[in-house]
């Protein structure tokens, strides 16, 4: 397994200096930095080259995380929005190639956050499948893995547990389109977290980890040793990326619904230490050391 973190742990607003975030991730001991995929389409070739070089020098891999905006929703009833959504994801993947990034993750089948104005799940599902088939065709060509994130009922109508995710991937029917399981969302929706991991099996291509209240692994109640054993049982050897959100404020706090300080008032140095300590804890649980 390769261990990483989402850059947003260190910022209040979406978007960042990803070279700086990569250096912070490396200092904490990570193998992967997860960046905002939507930002890639606004970066110049020079900026992309700098990020690629920085990650390579640090020995880090990059994954790209995305929650598509409403005007680029592949499940929309509006054909123009659907077309824009498919093209947006394809444009991101072409930028990913320039930074040697081959993993695009998120609730790509929908917009995020979802507004729950359209509750016709069957129609949404069918449109999302067709959109992801187009995206999957290009991902197959580019050698990129699409990892569809299973969210909870408060953030999407479509994929809210592992069972739905498996069915959706089978409907899409593209080798590049697989699953992302996130322990935060699983804690809300799954009866048994390790059992869901084993059910996903070979379809599982990315894992997000965080406690049930968005804190760092090891700061809450989730059964990390059992989760780690389930991952080893299915031979999982891909990325395990922390997605903790500890501070309120800014667009990150608003969108993630962090309304109180979960860090205990930690300053930047304290935040750095907490995530490094959490990584040591997580490796011990997941690698069985």
């Amino acid at each position: 397994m390769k261990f990483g973190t989402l850059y947003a742990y260190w910022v209040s607003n979406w978007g960042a200096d990803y070279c700086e975030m990569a250096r912070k991730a490396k200092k904490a001991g990570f193998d992967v930095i997860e960046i905002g995929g939507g930002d890639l389409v606004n970066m110049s070739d020079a900026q992309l080259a700098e990020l690629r070089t920085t990650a390579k020098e640090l020995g880090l891999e990059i994954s790209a995380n995305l929650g598509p905006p409403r005007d680029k929703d592949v499940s929309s009833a509006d054909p123009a929005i659907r077309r824009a959504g498919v093209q947006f994801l394809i444009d991101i993947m072409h930028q990913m190639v320039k930074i040697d990034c081959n993993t695009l993750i998120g609730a790509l089948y929908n917009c995020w956050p979802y507004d729950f104005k359209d509750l016709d799940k069957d129609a949404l599902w069918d449109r999302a499948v067709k959109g992801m088939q187009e995206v999957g065709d290009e991902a197959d060509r580019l050698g990129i893995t699409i990892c569809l994130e299973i969210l909870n009922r408060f953030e999407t109508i479509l994929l809210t547990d592992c069972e739905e995710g498996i069915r959706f991937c089978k409907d899409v029917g593209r080798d590049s389109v697989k699953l992302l399981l996130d322990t935060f969302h699983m804690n809300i929706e799954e009866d048994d977290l390790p059992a869901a991991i084993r059910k996903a099996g070979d379809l599982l291509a990315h894992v997000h980890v965080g406690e049930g209240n968005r804190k760092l692994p090891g700061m809450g109640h989730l059964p990390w040793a059992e989760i780690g054993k389930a991952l080893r049982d299915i031979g999982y050897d891909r990325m395990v990326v922390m997605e903790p959100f500890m501070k309120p404020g800014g667009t990150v706090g608003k969108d993630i619904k962090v309304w109180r300080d979960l860090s205990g008032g930690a300053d930047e140095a304290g935040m750095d230490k907490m995530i490094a300590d959490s990584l040591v804890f997580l490796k011990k649980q997941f690698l069985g050391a």
Side-chain angles (χ1 to χ4, degrees), residues 4-48:
T5 185
L6 179 66
Y7 78 95
Y9 174 74
W10 286 290
V11 300
S12 297
N13 294 299
W14 301 115
D17 179 339
Y18 292 123
C19 291
E20 179 187 355
M21 296 297 102
R23 287 187 282 269
K24 289 179 80 68
K26 181 65 176 181
K27 184 178 178 181
F30 289 103
D31 312 303
V32 178
I33 180 66
E34 191 154 283
I35 68 172
D39 291 333
L40 292 174
V41 296
N42 298 316
M43 292 172 69
S44 67
D45 283 348
Q47 290 173 315
L48 293 169

Side-chain angles (χ1 to χ4, degrees), residues 155-176:
E155 297 186 39
T156 188
I157 187 175
L158 284 178
L159 308 188
T160 58
D161 73 352
C162 182
E163 186 104 17
E164 285 189 322
I166 291 170
R167 182 161 61 89
F168 188 88
C169 284
K170 289 181 177 178
D171 284 356
V172 172
R174 299 298 186 271
D175 291 341
S176 58

Side-chain angles (χ1 to χ4, degrees), residues 19 22-23 46-60 62 98-100:
C19 291
R23 287 187 282 269
Q47 290 173 315
L48 293 169
E50 182 185 10
L51 176 56
R52 178 183 178 275
T53 298
T54 299
K56 185 176 180 180
E57 289 175 347
L58 293 171
L60 288 178
I62 302 172
K98 298 176 185 178
I99 57 171
D100 294 336

Side-chain angles (χ1 to χ4, degrees), residues 214-233:
R214 292 293 198 180
K215 289 185 179 182
L216 288 158
M219 298 178 73
H221 69 277
L222 293 189
W224 295 109
E226 291 87 345
I227 292 169
K229 185 177 186 306
L231 290 171
R232 296 194 302 275
D233 286 349

